[in-house]
């Protein structure tokens, strides 16, 4: 069995692993997560759920009771090499290969969690440019670093009439999940842009949050990329999956990086804009 350690909030970590699993045609796997959104992406039979309440005790219980019963052939660790809260300091010695999916971390923030870890990595899949200190750590843990571009599924066709979207207005898309305050901020910014441009679009908000949208609608829909071809404008954060999926639509996209303890959204947005075009007015 291939065990995937997937911790972190929102859908991003889970969706990245779902894409990885499909890309490598992995069938025998389990998802180790404390994120209830895992049940929206994976069959319940594939999920080993660790309650986020009293997480430390729940993790200890998993390691001492459930882990010894698992027949692990490979272990895959997403994003956090020592775990989100240094969980792998308590992981027993391994006799199977361990793989690390490395996306960019604010290493100066993350390294304070680092404790002793027993194993090295068979392979590190580098998903984007890493901070120098992070890369030095990776090189100390493996001799095999592979650059990997994930193959995200293309947008599927949407029937707007099924969502009662008016066809006589421009569709402006706002995409954000997990944080209602940040979503409200994005909506407010898009409304201000529309007012400034003297435009009267119809706002479609794609989110797991429920908010009231003036002159628009809030829809719980996944994956949001299906809506990208239909939108005249797109407003979104700069999470890993979003940035990679929005690349073909960047000319009509405004990225708003949100502050994260470990994820460097400002760097990611800057890299994308600098590699393609100058930022739009209003981008910070």
């Amino acid at each position: 069995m291939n065990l995937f350690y997937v911790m972190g909030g929102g859908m991003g970590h889970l969706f990245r692993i779902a894409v990885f699993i499909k890309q490598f045609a992995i069938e025998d796997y389990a998802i180790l997560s404390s994120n209830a959104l895992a049940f929206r992406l994976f069959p319940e039979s594939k999920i080993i759920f660790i309650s986020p309440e009293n997480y430390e005790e729940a993790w200890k219980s998993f390691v001492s009771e459930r882990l010894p019963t698992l027949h692990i052939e490979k272990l895959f660790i997403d994003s956090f090499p020592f775990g989100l809260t240094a969980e792998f300091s308590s992981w027993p010695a391994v006799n199977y290969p361990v793989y690390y999916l490395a996306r960019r971390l604010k290493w100066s923030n993350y390294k304070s969690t680092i404790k002793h870890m027993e194993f090295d990595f068979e392979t590190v899949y580098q998903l984007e440019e890493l901070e120098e200190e992070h890369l030095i750590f990776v090189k100390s843990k493996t001799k095999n670093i592979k650059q990997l571009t994930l193959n995200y599924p293309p947008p599927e066709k949407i029937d707007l009439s099924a969502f009662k979207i008016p066809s006589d207005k421009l569709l402006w898309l706002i995409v954000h999940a997990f944080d209602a305050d940040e979503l409200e901020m994005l909506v407010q910014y898009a409304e201000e842009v529309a007012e400034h441009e003297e435009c009267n679009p119809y706002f479609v908000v794609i989110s797991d949050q429920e908010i009231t949208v003036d002159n628009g609608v809030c829809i719980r829909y996944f994956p949001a990329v299906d809506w990208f071809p239909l939108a005249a404008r797109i407003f979104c954060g700069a999470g890993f999956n979003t940035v990679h999926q929005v690349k073909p639509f960047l000319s009509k996209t405004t990225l708003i990086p949100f502050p994260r303890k470990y994820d460097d959204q400002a760097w990611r947005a800057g890299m994308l804009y600098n590699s393609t075009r100058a930022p739009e007015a209003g981008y910070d």
Side-chain angles (χ1 to χ4, degrees):
M1 182 258 285
N2 299 277
L3 181 63
F4 286 83
Y5 168 93
V6 194
M7 298 295 175
M11 189 71 82
H13 296 275
L14 295 163
F15 185 47
R16 178 169 52 249
I17 293 303
V19 172
F20 181 91
I21 288 172
K22 184 176 181 180
Q23 187 166 330
F24 285 87
I26 299 172
E27 296 182 358
D28 184 15
Y29 69 87
I31 303 297
L32 179 62
S33 181
S34 62
N35 188 341
L37 292 175
F39 294 96
R40 292 182 57 189
L41 271 184
F42 301 98
E44 185 174 353
S45 61
K46 297 288 190 180
I47 299 171
I48 300 173
F49 188 71
I50 299 181
S51 174
E53 299 179 7
N54 300 316
Y55 178 76
E56 185 176 348
E57 290 303 316
W59 178 266
K60 289 179 180 179
S61 177
F62 161 75
V63 169
S64 63
E65 298 175 12
R66 181 73 186 278
L67 181 58
T69 71
L70 300 179
H71 302 289
I72 301 173
E73 295 179 2
K74 297 177 182 179
L75 171 64
F76 294 83
I77 300 174
D78 173 66
S79 298
F80 308 109
F82 289 83
L84 183 58
T85 61
E87 296 99 319
F88 287 105
S89 62
S90 62
W91 196 269
V94 303
N95 57 0
Y96 43 79
V98 182
Y99 301 82
Y100 171 41
L101 280 67
R103 61 135 222 230
R104 191 174 181 90
L105 287 175
K106 293 179 180 177
W107 193 255
S108 59
N109 290 347
Y110 180 72
K111 69 181 181 181
S112 63
T113 70
I114 292 176
K115 297 180 181 180
H116 180 65
M117 185 171 66
E118 293 289 345
F119 46 80
D120 291 339
F121 301 121
E122 178 74 19
T123 300
V124 170
Y125 293 102
Q126 186 175 335
L127 303 178
E128 59 187 347
E129 183 181 337
L130 307 181
E131 290 185 358
E132 182 178 0
E133 195 174 358
H134 186 181
L135 184 58
I136 290 172
F137 161 79
V138 164
K139 289 179 177 179
S140 75
K141 285 291 183 180
T142 188
K143 295 181 179 179
N144 191 19
I145 301 174
K146 292 184 177 180
Q147 305 294 321
L148 178 64
T149 299
L150 292 176
N151 297 329
Y152 288 90
E156 295 187 3
K157 188 175 181 179
I158 288 179
D159 179 9
L160 288 182
S161 63
F163 296 91
K164 300 180 180 180
I165 306 296
S167 59
D168 59 342
K169 285 188 176 183
L170 291 175
L171 191 160
W172 282 24
L173 187 68
I174 302 163
V175 180
H176 199 58
F178 193 61
D179 190 302
D181 290 338
E182 292 177 350
L183 177 62
E184 293 278 6
M185 187 185 306
L186 269 178
V187 172
Q188 182 179 353
Y189 179 75
E191 291 173 341
E192 291 173 355
V193 171
E195 183 178 357
H196 176 74
E197 297 182 1
E198 299 181 346
C199 180
N200 186 30
Y202 188 81
F203 294 105
V204 174
V205 178
I206 306 296
S207 181
D208 61 343
Q209 305 296 306
E210 295 183 4
I211 64 170
T212 300
V213 184
D214 295 332
N215 195 24
V217 64
C218 181
I219 299 173
R220 185 184 293 264
Y221 185 97
F222 185 86
V225 68
D226 291 350
W227 291 82
F228 290 0
L230 303 174
R233 296 285 295 272
I234 302 170
F235 299 83
C236 56
F240 179 91
N241 297 304
T242 299
V243 164
H244 283 75
Q245 291 181 286
V246 85
K247 284 179 181 179
F249 309 95
L250 191 60
S251 62
K252 59 182 181 181
T253 299
T254 299
L255 292 171
I256 306 293
F258 288 102
R260 297 288 184 266
K261 184 176 182 180
Y262 297 137
D263 186 23
D264 197 342
Q265 292 198 8
W267 169 87
R268 188 175 295 116
M271 287 292 291
L272 182 58
Y273 276 120
N274 291 337
S275 66
T276 54
R277 64 178 176 85
E280 294 182 3
Y283 168 72
D284 294 325

